[in-house]
Amino acid sequence: MIKTNIRGYFPILDQEVNGHPLVYLDSAATTQKPIQVLEAVKHYYEFENSNVHRGVHTLGNRATDAYEGAREKVRKFINANSTEEIIFTKGTTNSLNMVALSYGRANVGEGDEIVITYMEHHSNLIPWQQLAKEKNATLKYIDMNPDGTLSMDKVKEAITDRTKIVAIAYASNVLGTLNPVKEIAAVAHAHGAVMVVDGAQGVPHFKTDVQDLDCDFLAFSGHKMCGPTGIGVLYGKKEHLEAMNPIDFGGEMISIVGLYESTWADLPWKFEGGTPNIAGAIGLGAAIDFLEEIGMDNIIEHEQRLTRYAIEQLSAIEGVSIYGPQDAAKRSGLVTFNLDGVHPHDVATVLDMEGIAVRAGHHCAQPLMKWLECSATARASFYIYNTEADIDRLVEGLRNAKEYFADVNE
Amino acid sequence: MSMNKLDQLYRSVIMDHYKKPRNKGVIDDSNVSIDMNNPTCGDRIHLSIKVEDGIVVDAKFEGEGCSISMSSASMMTQAIKGKTTEEAVKLAQVFSEMMLGHDHDDSLDLGDVEALSGVSQFPARIKCATLSWKAMEKGIKEANL
């Protein structure tokens, strides 16, 4: 159970929007930040701000300790073997592009296959699509079941000995589907392929153990788990990272620089060219402390309870269709839906007038929208600070939207 | 629920165009034909226009999107018929000013289009309203008629 007073840690939630108390249901886009994270970033800038891994001076040491301390928190959080396997990036998109540009370019050749699914966010689709084009490789999509889940039969059909990379979302940002990435990783490995997990919608919501999953790469973003924007993580198995070339050349990532040749710093710094987002990493570390105090098992339990309640309540409104698996135990904390006869933009505007923030559009998943045969949907996504009362407000808002458009449609 | 602000957005004339779009379809012998989409939300429009002697003699649209984007397209096709291409492009510019909430040239008869002025109060929806107008402006300019 999550304590109900958790909302008190999020100052932004305590406000009125358009004359109504804010109900924030867009955490799959970005979560709000608790005071613990805001304070950690402020404290860094007030007492420690300095560049890392450079100066001899005391502030430089404090900044380096705080930055590397955050890396250790991330390592522990996802149970990586070593901090050498934890690279700080700008976010999931940046992390996935690094894998495509470095590992992908070096290991994918003509006629090879990259396997993904229809439910990938554009950030776990376009890097592979572009790599496949560049290398004359084949991009393959695993067929989905009608309810938006993957079956292992289809997975085994798609992955072959020509497959070099399998890249799949831990949880879908539209359908909420939780994908069996551990089982898929085993299939990928049996064919000599690597497994890349897009953890953007997974890592913030439940315990993620990279050694248990046995994934080769895992990407996620700080801002979707109570951390600041502009900080994310790429986890990679050490054996891969050691063999990979850096993408960003410049300061901090070097060992010896000559006029015509250079050598690279040790892991993980070889992949962190330039001054990193130090405050962001420290903020992410504080976010991890915050989430671990709540307990990751409590978080997914809370979200699935809300999802079950939301599916129940929304289904009771005539004209609402819900996408993805109907069983809340098979999904993360979000519900994507449409209201018959009212475009999702119009739904979102009516809800906004009542202080309710939801997402409307294609959710950066255009191929999935095509698969669902709709151009846009509305999405309500939940996190630790949401309650059943928020969903009641959503339901009331939807009933009002339906009524309003029924009137104007007359 | 306070619907006053919503009523400024969803005026009855807008909903009328949404429900009963004017000029829906494709002109077979058009000399302006353009597709445009709004990449942030998935709205899309196909616009075809027939121009004779510098005058817009017909305009039709097809597409999918919200009430604002579709009603705006309907009103736009209505508004440019009978206008010269220069006047049509000028209308698009006036419309853009109106969406930004700026003072705009009111010498041109906007007709039903005036009803969309409330959209300027909803920044997130301005792109919905301007999609078809941008398509029209770009299509006419590129056709170089």
Side-chain angles (χ1 to χ4, degrees):
Chain A
M1 280 290 279
I2 289 183
K3 291 186 195 122
T4 46
N5 65 2
I6 198 116
R7 278 175 95 91
Y9 292 120
F10 295 84
I12 199 170
L13 296 177
D14 184 25
Q15 64 172 306
E16 291 205 338
V17 168
N18 295 319
H20 299 269
L22 169 64
V23 171
Y24 185 75
L25 296 175
D26 197 18
S27 293
T30 197
T31 61
Q32 299 303 345
K33 323 302 174 197
I35 41 178
Q36 288 87 338
V37 169
L38 305 178
E39 285 297 328
V41 172
K42 185 164 172 267
H43 182 270
Y44 165 73
Y45 279 124
E46 282 183 354
F47 298 101
E48 297 165 341
N49 178 49
S50 201
N51 215 327
V52 290
H53 302 300
R54 284 165 178 76
V56 177
H57 55 75
T58 304
L59 282 190
N61 288 337
R62 281 186 200 162
T64 304
D65 286 350
Y67 181 68
E68 293 303 326
R71 197 188 308 275
E72 168 58 17
K73 286 178 186 178
V74 172
R75 183 206 65 76
K76 218 171 127 232
F77 187 62
I78 60 169
N79 193 31
N81 246 320
S82 141
T83 51
E84 293 175 295
E85 299 178 318
I86 306 296
I87 299 160
F88 283 125
T89 66
K90 286 192 289 183
T92 306
T93 301
N94 185 205
S95 300
L96 292 167
N97 275 281
M98 279 171 70
V99 180
L101 290 178
S102 180
Y103 184 89
R105 273 191 175 152
N107 292 281
V108 175
E110 192 170 342
D112 287 341
E113 297 165 351
I114 303 165
V115 175
I116 63 173
T117 76
Y118 291 100
M119 70 180 102
E120 300 314 316
H121 186 281
H122 293 163
S123 61
N124 195 34
L125 190 160
I126 308 171
W128 310 118
Q129 179 191 70
Q130 295 303 307
L131 177 66
K133 275 178 75 173
E134 183 185 312
K135 296 287 184 178
N136 273 322
T138 307
L139 184 62
K140 282 168 87 173
Y141 290 82
I142 304 173
D143 270 343
M144 282 195 291
N145 300 322
D147 69 345
T149 55
L150 294 176
S151 66
M152 286 310 290
D153 289 348
K154 297 277 171 57
V155 169
K156 286 173 189 159
E157 240 168 69
I159 299 171
T160 73
D161 287 344
R162 292 308 308 260
T163 307
K164 290 288 187 285
I165 294 173
V166 179
I168 289 175
Y170 209 165
S172 159
N173 70 314
V174 177
L175 303 170
T177 318
L178 301 176
N179 288 319
V181 291
K182 182 178 174 176
E183 286 74 17
I184 300 172
V187 178
H189 292 152
H191 289 279
V194 294
M195 179 74 195
V196 181
V197 177
D198 170 1
Q201 302 290 345
V203 176
H205 305 288
F206 43 81
K207 177 72 192 156
T208 301
D209 181 331
V210 289
Q211 294 189 67
D212 178 57
L213 294 178
D214 197 24
C215 58
D216 298 275
F217 298 97
L218 170 77
F220 59 99
S221 297
H223 73 96
K224 291 191 200 289
M225 48 187 285
C226 292
T229 52
I231 187 76
V233 172
L234 172 63
Y235 157 83
K237 279 184 184 167
K238 191 178 169 185
E239 59 190 272
H240 300 312
L241 294 178
E242 273 181 333
M244 280 160 62
N245 285 321
I247 303 287
D248 291 321
F249 300 103
E252 213 203 355
M253 53 75 63
I254 47 85
S255 174
I256 295 166
V257 179
L259 287 180
Y260 304 105
E261 292 292 337
S262 297
T263 57
W264 315 134
D266 290 335
L267 287 176
W269 304 292
K270 138 176 136 173
F271 291 102
E272 294 182 0
T275 296
N277 183 354
I278 306 165
I282 290 166
L284 174 57
I288 288 174
D289 289 343
F290 180 75
L291 295 179
E292 289 202 307
E293 203 176 316
I294 297 167
M296 295 310 291
D297 291 345
N298 289 329
I299 293 175
I300 187 66
E301 188 258 342
H302 175 78
E303 288 181 16
Q304 289 185 334
R305 200 182 69 240
L306 291 180
T307 303
R308 198 170 302 120
Y309 184 68
I311 291 176
E312 250 171 53
Q313 297 297 311
L314 292 177
S315 308
I317 306 173
E318 204 189 324
V320 168
S321 19
I322 294 170
Y323 301 95
Q326 303 294 307
D327 179 0
K330 286 185 183 162
R331 45 195 300 164
S332 65
L334 60 87
V335 179
T336 294
F337 59 92
N338 259 324
L339 181 57
D340 192 28
V342 190
H343 192 278
H345 288 172
D346 296 317
V347 169
T349 293
V350 174
L351 293 175
D352 182 46
M353 286 300 104
E354 297 187 37
I356 304 163
V358 298
R359 175 85 184 265
H362 57 52
H363 316 291
C364 297
Q366 289 182 20
L368 178 60
M369 290 293 125
K370 215 167 192 170
W371 187 86
L372 292 171
E373 292 177 341
C374 60
S375 61
T377 59
R379 178 185 72 191
S381 51
F382 320 122
Y383 209 37
I384 44 181
Y385 34 69
N386 291 116
T387 62
E388 272 89 351
D390 292 340
I391 293 164
D392 292 340
R393 287 271 309 277
L394 170 68
V395 168
E396 189 198 335
L398 283 175
R399 289 191 191 280
N400 289 337
K402 200 180 149 183
E403 202 178 301
Y404 184 81
F405 276 87
D407 285 350
V408 289
N409 277 338
E410 262 170 21
Chain B
M1 161 168 69
S2 137
M3 284 300 190
N4 293 344
K5 203 176 168 195
L6 271 186
D7 289 338
Q8 286 168 31
L9 179 65
Y10 298 115
R11 295 204 184 146
S12 57
V13 57
I14 295 179
M15 297 318 293
D16 184 59
H17 275 268
Y18 180 45
K19 242 180 24 177
K20 292 178 292 196
R22 324 305 197 251
N23 306 313
K24 199 97 192 261
V26 181
I27 303 169
D28 294 331
D29 57 344
S30 66
N31 35 19
V32 174
S33 170
I34 183 165
D35 290 290
M36 201 172 263
N37 69 334
N38 180 343
T40 59
C41 64
D43 284 3
R44 55 159 205 94
I45 186 175
H46 172 78
L47 179 66
S48 52
I49 301 173
K50 190 173 181 188
V51 179
E52 279 175 8
D53 302 327
I55 309 268
V56 175
V57 294
D58 200 4
K60 287 192 194 302
F61 80 99
E62 274 200 328
E64 46 190 286
C66 62
S67 59
I68 302 301
S69 69
M70 292 297 107
S71 62
S72 183
S74 169
M75 291 176 187
M76 183 277 293
T77 51
Q78 205 177 40
I80 62 169
K81 275 201 217 177
K83 301 270 193 311
T84 66
T85 50
E86 288 82 23
E87 283 169 339
V89 168
K90 172 83 179 141
L91 265 181
Q93 285 154 2
V94 168
F95 186 75
S96 172
E97 290 295 310
M98 185 169 106
M99 286 301 103
L100 293 169
H102 296 166
D103 289 338
H104 54 269
D105 182 352
D106 52 9
S107 65
L108 290 159
D109 177 24
L110 289 168
D112 287 354
V113 176
E114 195 74 54
L116 284 164
S117 60
V119 177
S120 66
Q121 302 298 311
F122 291 79
R125 303 302 296 277
I126 293 173
K127 275 187 293 192
C128 309
T130 53
L131 179 66
S132 58
W133 295 81
K134 291 218 160 99
M136 182 265 284
E137 190 179 355
K138 187 161 183 253
I140 287 180
K141 282 182 174 167
E142 282 179 357
N144 213 2
L145 295 162

